[in-house]
Amino acid sequence: MKKTLLIYLAVLAGVFIVLNFIDANGSYEAEKALWKINAQFEQYTKDPKTIPTGAYEGIRKKYQRFIEIHPKSSLVPLADLHIGHTYMAMKNYDKARAYFEDFIKKHADNPVLSVQAAVEITRTYALEENEVGVTKSYDRIIRDFPLTDLGLRTPMLVADFYKHTNQKARQQKALEDAKAHYIGLTAQYPDSPVELKALQMLANCYVEKGEFSRAVDALEEILLKFSDPRLLTPQAMKNLVTSINAIVITQLKDYDRSIKIYSRFLEKYPDHPAAASFKSLIAKFEMLKKENVSVILKKK
Amino acid sequence: MQPEKKVFTLLRSAIISIIENKIILLPFLTIAFFQILAIEILYFSPKFPLNVFFGPLVSKLWSPVYMHYPQNLVFLPNLFQNFNIGLYLFLNTFLICTAVSMIGAINQGEKADIKTALKNLWPRYVHIVTLAVIIILMTLGLDWAYERVFRRALEIRSQSGKFYMLKIIILSSKPFISLLISVFAAAVLAYTFPLITLEKKNVFKALAENFKVLWRAWIFTFFIVFWPTLIASMFFMFRTADLTLKHPELSIFLVVLGLIVATLTDAVIYTAITTYYLAWKESRKEGR
């Protein structure tokens, strides 16, 4: 029995050693190494008062070492961004901004990556409570990275910034600018994913402005124009329908509006996989309408 | 006369029997060896060369996220459960029967030898695999039924009263009910193992005979399985989602440790079950 157990242990140890050493600097090992540095960094930022001196500098060196060990890893840009974050954690905002600027230059061919650094620059200004810096930085994102996800969201972020700093007039102005920006994008990039995202943001913009009917118009346009599941995934369609229903029921109180939207959809796409659920939604709104009418009659 | 039905006395004598005849542990340790080997392979599955096979499989059946650190380790126990079903069907049940055969030999004063036991059991392999299929189907069926009850409980909207109490009981007792389900599935067919192995009965006759033994000793049998399983399950309870996310490797170490403890408790359970079965058989002979 002892011999058998020794064989088992040797096999387990052998398999472990072999699999551990094969592809020792591969992408999985890189993921693991970066996760561990990130976890330690996160731990420090959770409770900055208790961390030892030089801790962030240590983390920065770890990211640097990660880049040296895994130069070909797809995670290198992420580690590079985190180096900028360590400067932010050390409250060395000038250095952080310079680092992020370098990052933007280094990844100029990849707007999805460089926009993240631009957003971090905005955050450094926000942390310094430098309003001019924040707005300038937002303007730059809108100008230089208009078609990235972050770039598309930025006009609304500007409005949010003014909302949270209690500047109502500026918030309204920012919402007007955002509206014009999104309408411009829909005209500039028709029938494209950019138009889809711009319409979604436009709907948010209308909701924020309290123009609920226009918000439903924008959502309806998405539904009727982008029914292809490759563009509007089933989950995204579900969210869209939930938004329409929520606005119609709570704000507009006009059930015919939903019935008309879903009827138009069925007319345009009778064989769509979601057709059955739209038919059931129409039936539910019809019922709601009847119940509403009977309540009104009873009150009379 | 019926044999004595004292749970802790029987469990103690099973432990003593294992200590005196360590060879009984060998089939169970072989099960643990294959289980740990499976965990090792799954642990390294996101790495080359294993990712060539596991990458498309995991991505298609579950999500590509589970091929990345640390989500792969969060998902590893679920993935292992699926592999373990295969192991249970084709290997574990056969090795448990091997252990039962060795315990039977020891009880008759013969020398227990794993090679002889495996050789004698090989012709019974189809019956053993059929038994494994029945046990798995029963466990999955009970899990499915409990899942339905659990989902129904989630839909209860009451904020007070008896339905609210029912909801709270069902939702908060999930780990305990899962434990009870696995204990019930193991206990209800416990005697089919010695019946197929020692009496060389076919699986259906063994099932019928199993219920005859169980008829007068079902609570006793339930607790024979329950107490050791409870000890083993405690190791799995330490493995919380929070621990897994903070220390992914430690949580896998706990799974391995839990498997080793489960192996030892299985050895105690099947030694006790076989010992009781042999005593029951003896008492029937005396009765005649």
Side-chain angles (χ1 to χ4, degrees), chain A residues 8 12 15 20 28 31 35, chain B residues 30 40 47 68-70 72 245:
Chain A
Y8 287 168
L12 290 175
V15 169
N20 207 21
Y28 179 72
E31 275 176 17
W35 186 86
Chain B
T30 306
E40 237 178 46
K47 276 183 78 169
H68 297 279
Y69 188 87
N72 66 313
L245 283 173

Side-chain angles (χ1 to χ4, degrees), chain A:
Chain A
M1 187 172 152
K2 271 183 192 164
K3 198 179 149 191
T4 316
L5 287 181
L6 281 174
I7 292 170
Y8 287 168
L9 284 175
V11 170
L12 290 175
V15 169
F16 187 87
I17 290 165
V18 168
L19 290 175
N20 207 21
F21 278 95
I22 292 178
D23 198 26
N25 280 337
S27 59
Y28 179 72
E29 289 303 325
E31 275 176 17
K32 200 163 144 181
L34 187 62
W35 186 86
K36 289 192 171 162
I37 307 171
N38 287 346
Q40 199 180 0
F41 189 21
E42 206 184 304
Q43 197 61 38
Y44 286 162
T45 48
K46 264 184 195 167
D47 200 358
K49 281 176 191 163
T50 58
I51 61 160
T53 14
Y56 289 129
E57 185 54 27
I59 295 284
R60 191 192 65 78
K61 280 181 185 159
K62 280 186 182 175
Y63 281 126
Q64 202 70 56
R65 179 118 182 84
F66 172 87
I67 295 170
E68 283 162 22
I69 295 173
H70 306 277
K72 287 181 184 166
S73 168
S74 58
L75 298 170
V76 165
L78 207 59
D80 213 359
L81 258 182
H82 285 314
I83 291 178
H85 290 147
T86 58
Y87 289 126
M88 281 171 78
M90 289 186 258
K91 296 194 184 343
N92 194 343
Y93 298 120
D94 286 330
K95 200 157 189 182
R97 276 192 287 272
Y99 197 86
F100 288 129
E101 288 295 351
D102 271 352
F103 184 94
I104 292 171
K105 275 180 205 153
K106 227 190 300 179
H107 300 279
D109 55 334
N110 190 340
V112 176
L113 267 176
S114 35
V115 72
Q116 291 184 43
V119 169
E120 294 308 327
I121 290 174
T122 320
R123 274 187 59 210
T124 59
Y125 285 124
L127 288 167
E128 286 180 322
E129 295 179 0
N130 177 346
E131 199 184 310
V132 179
V134 171
T135 47
K136 270 190 180 172
S137 192
Y138 273 142
D139 288 344
R140 177 205 188 169
I141 296 171
I142 297 168
R143 189 186 63 234
D144 294 349
F145 311 100
L147 304 183
T148 58
D149 275 353
L150 286 166
L152 278 162
R153 264 193 280 148
T154 303
M156 284 301 286
L157 292 177
V158 176
D160 270 355
F161 174 73
Y162 288 128
K163 187 182 173 181
H164 290 120
T165 48
N166 285 324
Q167 303 183 60
K168 243 191 161 157
R170 281 187 163 185
Q171 185 205 355
Q172 287 307 316
K173 168 80 173 59
L175 283 172
E176 276 303 320
D177 290 347
K179 195 174 94 180
H181 179 73
Y182 294 129
I183 290 173
L185 284 177
T186 57
Q188 215 178 332
Y189 301 94
D191 306 318
S192 70
V194 175
E195 190 195 4
L196 168 68
K197 285 174 192 164
L199 280 170
Q200 282 168 336
M201 295 312 300
L202 186 62
N204 290 349
C205 190
Y206 283 131
V207 169
E208 203 59 45
K209 280 169 73 68
E211 296 174 15
F212 297 109
S213 185
R214 284 187 168 179
V216 174
D217 284 341
L219 296 174
E220 180 185 359
E221 201 175 335
I222 297 173
L223 191 66
L224 296 180
K225 225 171 174 181
F226 298 97
S227 68
D228 187 340
R230 280 168 297 180
L231 285 170
L232 198 63
T233 60
Q235 186 56 44
M237 186 178 265
K238 203 175 160 188
N239 294 344
L240 186 79
V241 170
T242 309
S243 302
I244 294 175
N245 293 346
I247 300 173
V248 165
I249 295 169
T250 61
Q251 302 296 333
L252 304 176
K253 297 181 174 59
D254 175 9
Y255 306 134
D256 279 328
R257 187 76 184 271
S258 291
I259 295 169
K260 270 182 202 159
I261 294 172
Y262 303 140
S263 303
R264 271 188 217 131
F265 182 87
L266 288 173
E267 210 174 285
K268 199 169 176 187
Y269 310 103
D271 301 321
H272 194 276
S277 42
F278 280 116
K279 279 178 194 163
S280 126
L281 261 174
I282 292 173
K284 279 178 188 163
F285 272 105
E286 293 284 6
M287 230 165 73
L288 265 175
K289 236 171 80 180
K290 273 182 202 164
E291 278 173 18
N292 210 26
V293 169
S294 59
V295 169
I296 292 167
L297 286 176
K298 266 184 196 171
K299 275 184 184 170
K300 278 183 181 174

